[in-house]
Amino acid sequence: MEGFLATPVGHLALTVAQAMALLVPLLIGVAYLTWAERKVLAAMQLRKGPNVVGPFGLLQPFADAIKMLMKETIIPAGASRVLFIMAPMITFMLAMLAWAVIPVNDGWAIADINVGILYLFAISSLGVYGIIIAGWASNSKYAFLGALRSAAQMVSYEVSMGFVIVTVLLCVGSLNLTEIVRAQADMWFIIPLFPMFVIMFISALAETNRAPFDLPEGESELVAGFFVEYSSMSFALFFLGEYANMILMSALITILFLGGWYAPFDIAPFTWIPGPMWFVFKICFCLFVFIWVRATFPRYRYDQLMRLGWKVFLPFSLVWLVLTAAALKLFGWLPAA
Amino acid sequence: MIAALAFYLFAAVLIASAVMVVTSRNPVHSVLFLILTFFNAAALFLLAGAEFLAMILVIVYVGAVAVLFLFVVMMLDIDFAALREGFQRYAPIGGVVGAILLLELLLVFGTWQFASDAAGFRLNPAPAGVDNTRALGRIMYTDFVWLFQLSGLILLVAMIGAIVLTLRGKTSTKRQDIGRQIARSGSVNLRQPALGAGLGEIGIERPPVDAPAEPKKLAHADHGHGGHH
């Protein structure tokens, strides 16, 4: 066995097995996130939510998936066929690709690369392509308007997100995700960098096109925005990609601010629960807040969205970055290089 | 072996997509091929061991610059016939410009030689025990900090210039002042109702619960439809 794993084929097989071990739970998580969202929204609006298919409606996601598969894929006559089909694939693939570097536990990352956080940032900044290409290839005005909104929105919020990440990196002194979590062994970064945590969370909402920033698909103005022309499985891929991105953003927030796999207190009942479980709990908490926000806030107007990104978050995160750097230098807390 | 194969694959795709950028008929496809080119360049950086540069290339060029580029190109209403119209007329000028550029490139590459210590740097680009992110940081922020800051300043000036050139002081637009809206009082009030109480019990927005509903009923008695069921 050891010998086989050392060969290139064995290495490949091992990597594929690792990827499967991560992606299969992830996809099941995505399926149940759609269920959880409907249940939580229902509870918040004094409804029942899905409760017919299976106990507590637990089989609802699979019923939905089968329904999607059975439907006909419609490609509009004026659409750019190749790009139209490629767009949902890009969205879904990027949402899966980013998970390669996520450390679920100390040393449990498929690829523990030096520039892990940059890789994540790069992949999340590519997410906009699926949306723009979908909007353009559909050859529909609603879809195109949705795509344009999305491009402007995601680029705007990426800027402040970049500053948030730089602030965290200053405190860690490494771009490696495992190192970032290890630096939080004593104190989670949410405590010293709380304002950055808030900015990161709101930017994550904007990056994933979630309410109150779901303008790219704002159904009251744009019918369904960029995916108005999509049906059946191509629609389902967008849908899954969006939810996988939500989980990814929650994982990123967990790694940057909520101490990754660490228990909140290093004492007995908390340390009995293994690290990966804590990681999943924290992701679930973030996802619950994502859904909570959706149930609570009305959609932003587009100019207000841009104002918030450029005139509030950008200056604030820039000032906080300088303050953090100054404090680290002044008190000699800079991580040893 | 695998690294060499990967290099040739990425390099071939890079050159092919770069050719497609200039030959493809549809400008949106051109931009998408340009993005593919960036990606392959990033992959080549990765193969060369420069992972920081690769990621920055993807973040800055693919994630931001090309998005805006695509954004603009998609919104352009391009008439393809008009674009190709003057091809015959402009071909000689284009040919001359191309020939001059080719000549210059030949002159440059003809006298190309490696710096004397380049071979040593190439074998060992970063000092031992330092990853290339840190090595780049040391060079940019320690050795060449003034040049680095100066280039940033030039970009800032360019940005301010673009804003000054395009910003027109419009007097007709209405602006929202959120601070003033929030500070406003009188017309809109913020209330904290008791938890769990119905609107009737709090006594807002509706007549009291014990108000007689009798006259309303009479007024609508002759309607055969309506929402008062």
Coordinates of all heavy atoms in Angstrom, one line a residue, chain B residues 91-146:
Chain B
A91 N -4.7 48.4 -44.5 CA -3.7 47.3 -44.4 C -2.3 47.7 -44.6 O -1.4 47.3 -43.9 CB -4.1 46.2 -45.4
P92 N -1.9 48.6 -45.7 CA -0.5 48.9 -45.8 C 0.1 49.6 -44.6 O 1.2 49.3 -44.2 CB -0.6 49.9 -47.0 CG -1.9 49.7 -47.7 CD -2.8 49.2 -46.7
I93 N -0.7 50.6 -44.0 CA -0.2 51.3 -42.8 C 0.1 50.3 -41.7 O 1.1 50.3 -41.1 CB -1.2 52.4 -42.4 CG1 -1.5 53.3 -43.6 CG2 -0.6 53.1 -41.2 CD1 -2.6 54.3 -43.3
G94 N -0.9 49.4 -41.5 CA -0.8 48.4 -40.5 C 0.5 47.5 -40.7 O 1.2 47.2 -39.8
G95 N 0.7 47.2 -42.0 CA 1.8 46.3 -42.4 C 3.1 47.0 -42.0 O 4.0 46.4 -41.5
V96 N 3.2 48.4 -42.4 CA 4.4 49.1 -42.1 C 4.7 49.2 -40.6 O 5.8 48.9 -40.1 CB 4.3 50.5 -42.7 CG1 5.5 51.4 -42.2 CG2 4.3 50.5 -44.2
V97 N 3.6 49.5 -39.8 CA 3.8 49.5 -38.3 C 4.3 48.2 -37.8 O 5.2 48.1 -37.0 CB 2.5 50.0 -37.7 CG1 2.6 49.9 -36.1 CG2 2.1 51.4 -38.1
G98 N 3.6 47.1 -38.3 CA 4.0 45.8 -37.9 C 5.4 45.4 -38.2 O 6.2 44.9 -37.4
A99 N 5.9 45.8 -39.4 CA 7.2 45.5 -39.8 C 8.2 46.3 -38.9 O 9.3 45.7 -38.5 CB 7.4 45.9 -41.3
I100 N 7.9 47.5 -38.6 CA 8.9 48.3 -37.8 C 9.0 47.6 -36.4 O 10.1 47.4 -35.9 CB 8.4 49.8 -37.6 CG1 8.5 50.5 -39.0 CG2 9.2 50.5 -36.6 CD1 7.9 51.9 -39.0
L101 N 7.8 47.2 -35.9 CA 7.8 46.6 -34.5 C 8.6 45.3 -34.6 O 9.4 45.0 -33.7 CB 6.4 46.3 -34.1 CG 5.7 47.5 -33.4 CD1 4.3 47.1 -33.1 CD2 6.4 47.9 -32.1
L102 N 8.4 44.5 -35.7 CA 9.1 43.3 -35.8 C 10.7 43.5 -35.9 O 11.4 42.8 -35.2 CB 8.7 42.6 -37.1 CG 9.2 41.1 -37.3 CD1 8.6 40.2 -36.2 CD2 8.9 40.6 -38.7
L103 N 11.0 44.6 -36.6 CA 12.4 44.9 -36.8 C 13.0 45.2 -35.4 O 14.1 44.8 -35.0 CB 12.6 46.1 -37.7 CG 14.0 46.3 -38.3 CD1 14.3 45.2 -39.2 CD2 14.0 47.7 -39.0
E104 N 12.3 46.1 -34.7 CA 12.8 46.5 -33.3 C 12.9 45.3 -32.4 O 14.0 45.1 -31.7 CB 11.8 47.4 -32.7 CG 11.9 48.8 -33.2 CD 10.8 49.8 -32.7 OE1 9.9 49.3 -32.0 OE2 11.0 51.0 -32.9
L105 N 11.9 44.4 -32.5 CA 12.0 43.2 -31.7 C 13.2 42.3 -32.0 O 14.0 41.8 -31.2 CB 10.8 42.3 -31.8 CG 9.6 42.7 -31.0 CD1 8.4 41.9 -31.3 CD2 9.9 42.7 -29.5
L106 N 13.5 42.2 -33.4 CA 14.6 41.4 -33.8 C 15.9 42.1 -33.3 O 16.8 41.4 -32.9 CB 14.6 41.4 -35.4 CG 13.6 40.4 -36.0 CD1 13.7 40.4 -37.5 CD2 13.9 39.0 -35.5
L107 N 16.0 43.4 -33.4 CA 17.2 44.1 -32.9 C 17.4 43.9 -31.5 O 18.5 43.6 -31.0 CB 17.1 45.6 -33.2 CG 17.3 46.0 -34.6 CD1 17.0 47.5 -34.8 CD2 18.7 45.7 -35.1
V108 N 16.3 43.9 -30.7 CA 16.4 43.7 -29.3 C 16.9 42.3 -29.0 O 17.9 42.1 -28.2 CB 15.1 44.0 -28.5 CG1 15.2 43.5 -27.1 CG2 14.8 45.5 -28.6
F109 N 16.2 41.3 -29.6 CA 16.6 39.9 -29.3 C 17.9 39.5 -29.9 O 18.6 38.6 -29.4 CB 15.5 39.0 -29.8 CG 14.3 39.0 -28.8 CD1 13.1 39.5 -29.2 CD2 14.4 38.4 -27.6 CE1 12.0 39.5 -28.3 CE2 13.4 38.4 -26.7 CZ 12.2 39.0 -27.0
G110 N 18.3 40.2 -31.0 CA 19.6 39.9 -31.6 C 20.8 40.2 -30.7 O 21.8 39.4 -30.6
T111 N 20.6 41.3 -29.9 CA 21.7 41.6 -29.0 C 21.5 41.1 -27.6 O 22.1 41.6 -26.6 CB 21.9 43.1 -29.0 OG1 20.7 43.7 -28.6 CG2 22.3 43.6 -30.3
W112 N 20.5 40.3 -27.4 CA 20.1 39.8 -26.1 C 21.2 39.0 -25.4 O 21.8 38.1 -26.1 CB 18.8 39.0 -26.2 CG 18.3 38.5 -24.9 CD1 18.8 37.4 -24.2 CD2 17.2 39.0 -24.2 NE1 18.0 37.2 -23.0 CE2 17.1 38.2 -23.0 CE3 16.3 40.0 -24.4 CZ2 16.1 38.4 -22.1 CZ3 15.3 40.3 -23.5 CH2 15.2 39.5 -22.3
Q113 N 21.6 39.2 -24.2 CA 22.4 38.3 -23.5 C 22.1 38.3 -22.0 O 21.6 39.3 -21.5 CB 23.9 38.6 -23.8 CG 24.3 40.0 -23.3 CD 25.7 40.3 -23.7 OE1 26.3 39.6 -24.5 NE2 26.3 41.4 -23.2
F114 N 22.4 37.2 -21.4 CA 22.0 37.1 -20.0 C 23.0 37.9 -19.2 O 24.2 38.0 -19.5 CB 22.1 35.6 -19.5 CG 20.8 34.9 -20.0 CD1 21.0 33.9 -21.0 CD2 19.6 35.2 -19.4 CE1 19.8 33.2 -21.4 CE2 18.5 34.5 -19.8 CZ 18.6 33.5 -20.8
A115 N 22.5 38.5 -18.1 CA 23.4 39.2 -17.2 C 24.4 38.1 -16.6 O 24.0 37.0 -16.5 CB 22.6 39.9 -16.1
S116 N 25.6 38.6 -16.2 CA 26.6 37.6 -15.8 C 26.2 36.8 -14.6 O 26.5 35.6 -14.5 CB 27.9 38.4 -15.4 OG 27.6 39.4 -14.5
D117 N 25.4 37.4 -13.6 CA 25.0 36.6 -12.5 C 23.6 36.0 -12.6 O 23.0 35.5 -11.6 CB 25.1 37.4 -11.2 CG 24.6 38.8 -11.3 OD1 24.1 39.1 -12.4 OD2 24.6 39.6 -10.4
A118 N 23.0 36.1 -13.8 CA 21.6 35.6 -14.0 C 21.5 34.1 -13.7 O 20.5 33.7 -13.1 CB 21.1 36.0 -15.4
A119 N 22.4 33.4 -14.2 CA 22.3 31.9 -14.1 C 22.2 31.5 -12.6 O 21.4 30.7 -12.2 CB 23.5 31.3 -14.7
G120 N 23.0 32.2 -11.8 CA 23.0 31.9 -10.3 C 21.6 32.2 -9.7 O 21.1 31.5 -9.0
F121 N 21.1 33.4 -10.1 CA 19.8 33.8 -9.6 C 18.7 32.9 -10.0 O 17.7 32.6 -9.3 CB 19.4 35.2 -10.1 CG 20.1 36.3 -9.3 CD1 20.6 37.4 -10.0 CD2 20.3 36.2 -7.9 CE1 21.3 38.4 -9.3 CE2 21.0 37.2 -7.2 CZ 21.5 38.3 -7.9
R122 N 18.8 32.4 -11.3 CA 17.8 31.6 -11.9 C 17.7 30.2 -11.1 O 16.6 29.7 -10.9 CB 18.1 31.3 -13.3 CG 16.9 30.7 -14.1 CD 17.2 30.8 -15.6 NE 16.4 29.8 -16.2 CZ 16.9 28.5 -16.5 NH1 18.1 28.2 -16.1 NH2 16.1 27.6 -17.1
L123 N 18.9 29.7 -10.7 CA 18.9 28.4 -10.0 C 18.3 28.6 -8.6 O 17.7 27.7 -8.0 CB 20.3 27.9 -9.9 CG 20.8 27.3 -11.2 CD1 22.2 26.9 -11.1 CD2 19.9 26.1 -11.7
N124 N 18.5 29.8 -8.0 CA 18.1 30.0 -6.6 C 17.5 31.4 -6.5 O 18.1 32.3 -6.0 CB 19.4 29.9 -5.8 CG 19.0 29.9 -4.3 OD1 17.8 29.8 -4.0 ND2 20.0 30.1 -3.5
P125 N 16.2 31.6 -7.0 CA 15.6 32.9 -7.0 C 15.4 33.5 -5.7 O 15.6 34.7 -5.5 CB 14.3 32.7 -7.7 CG 14.0 31.2 -7.6 CD 15.4 30.5 -7.5
A126 N 15.1 32.7 -4.7 CA 14.9 33.3 -3.3 C 15.9 32.7 -2.4 O 16.3 31.5 -2.6 CB 13.5 32.9 -2.8
P127 N 16.4 33.5 -1.4 CA 17.4 32.9 -0.5 C 16.8 31.7 0.2 O 15.6 31.6 0.4 CB 17.6 34.0 0.5 CG 17.0 35.2 -0.1 CD 16.1 34.8 -1.1
A128 N 17.6 30.8 0.7 CA 17.1 29.5 1.3 C 16.3 29.8 2.5 O 16.6 30.7 3.3 CB 18.3 28.7 1.6
G129 N 15.2 29.1 2.7 CA 14.4 29.3 3.9 C 13.4 30.4 3.8 O 12.8 30.7 4.8
V130 N 13.4 31.1 2.7 CA 12.5 32.3 2.6 C 11.5 32.0 1.4 O 12.0 31.7 0.3 CB 13.2 33.6 2.3 CG1 12.3 34.7 2.1 CG2 14.2 33.9 3.4
D131 N 10.2 32.0 1.6 CA 9.3 31.7 0.5 C 9.3 33.0 -0.4 O 9.7 34.1 0.0 CB 7.9 31.3 1.0 CG 7.3 32.2 2.0 OD1 7.6 33.4 1.8 OD2 6.7 31.7 2.9
N132 N 8.8 32.8 -1.6 CA 9.0 33.9 -2.6 C 8.1 35.1 -2.3 O 8.4 36.2 -2.7 CB 8.9 33.4 -4.0 CG 7.5 33.0 -4.4 OD1 6.6 33.8 -4.3 ND2 7.3 31.7 -4.7
T133 N 7.0 34.9 -1.6 CA 6.2 36.0 -1.2 C 7.0 36.9 -0.3 O 7.1 38.2 -0.5 CB 5.0 35.5 -0.3 OG1 4.4 34.4 -1.0 CG2 4.0 36.6 -0.1
R134 N 7.7 36.4 0.7 CA 8.5 37.1 1.6 C 9.7 37.8 0.9 O 10.0 39.0 1.1 CB 9.0 36.2 2.7 CG 9.5 37.0 3.9 CD 9.4 36.1 5.2 NE 8.0 36.0 5.6 CZ 7.6 35.1 6.5 NH1 8.4 34.2 7.0 NH2 6.3 35.1 6.9
A135 N 10.3 37.0 0.0 CA 11.5 37.6 -0.8 C 11.0 38.8 -1.6 O 11.7 39.8 -1.6 CB 12.1 36.5 -1.7
L136 N 9.9 38.6 -2.3 CA 9.4 39.8 -3.1 C 9.1 41.0 -2.2 O 9.4 42.1 -2.6 CB 8.1 39.3 -3.8 CG 8.1 38.8 -5.2 CD1 6.8 38.4 -5.7 CD2 8.7 39.9 -6.1
G137 N 8.5 40.7 -1.1 CA 8.2 41.8 -0.1 C 9.4 42.5 0.3 O 9.4 43.7 0.4
R138 N 10.5 41.8 0.6 CA 11.7 42.4 1.0 C 12.2 43.3 0.0 O 12.7 44.4 0.2 CB 12.8 41.3 1.4 CG 12.6 40.8 2.8 CD 13.7 39.8 3.1 NE 13.4 39.1 4.3 CZ 14.0 38.0 4.7 NH1 15.0 37.6 4.0 NH2 13.7 37.4 5.8
I139 N 12.2 42.8 -1.3 CA 12.8 43.6 -2.4 C 11.9 44.8 -2.6 O 12.4 46.0 -2.7 CB 12.9 42.8 -3.7 CG1 13.9 41.7 -3.5 CG2 13.1 43.6 -4.9 CD1 14.0 40.7 -4.6
M140 N 10.6 44.7 -2.6 CA 9.7 45.8 -3.0 C 9.6 46.8 -1.9 O 9.6 48.0 -2.1 CB 8.4 45.3 -3.4 CG 8.3 44.7 -4.8 SD 6.8 44.9 -5.6 CE 5.7 44.0 -4.5
Y141 N 9.5 46.4 -0.6 CA 9.3 47.3 0.4 C 10.5 47.7 1.2 O 10.4 48.6 2.0 CB 8.3 46.7 1.4 CG 6.9 46.6 0.8 CD1 6.4 45.5 0.3 CD2 6.1 47.8 0.8 CE1 5.1 45.4 -0.2 CE2 4.8 47.7 0.2 CZ 4.4 46.5 -0.3 OH 3.1 46.5 -0.8
T142 N 11.6 47.1 0.9 CA 12.9 47.5 1.6 C 13.9 48.1 0.6 O 14.2 49.3 0.8 CB 13.5 46.3 2.3 OG1 12.5 45.5 2.9 CG2 14.5 46.7 3.4
D143 N 14.2 47.3 -0.4 CA 15.3 47.8 -1.3 C 14.7 48.9 -2.2 O 15.4 49.9 -2.5 CB 15.8 46.7 -2.1 CG 16.4 45.6 -1.3 OD1 16.6 45.9 -0.1 OD2 16.7 44.5 -1.7
F144 N 13.5 48.7 -2.8 CA 13.0 49.6 -3.8 C 11.7 50.3 -3.3 O 10.8 50.6 -4.1 CB 12.7 48.9 -5.1 CG 13.9 48.3 -5.7 CD1 14.2 46.9 -5.6 CD2 14.9 49.1 -6.4 CE1 15.4 46.4 -6.1 CE2 16.0 48.5 -6.9 CZ 16.3 47.2 -6.8
V145 N 11.7 50.7 -2.0 CA 10.4 51.2 -1.5 C 10.0 52.5 -2.2 O 8.8 52.7 -2.5 CB 10.5 51.3 0.0 CG1 11.6 52.2 0.5 CG2 9.2 51.7 0.6
W146 N 11.0 53.4 -2.5 CA 10.6 54.7 -3.0 C 10.1 54.5 -4.4 O 9.1 55.2 -4.8 CB 11.8 55.6 -3.0 CG 12.2 55.9 -1.6 CD1 13.4 55.6 -1.0 CD2 11.4 56.6 -0.6 NE1 13.4 56.0 0.4 CE2 12.1 56.6 0.6 CE3 10.1 57.1 -0.6 CZ2 11.6 57.1 1.8 CZ3 9.6 57.6 0.6 CH2 10.4 57.6 1.8

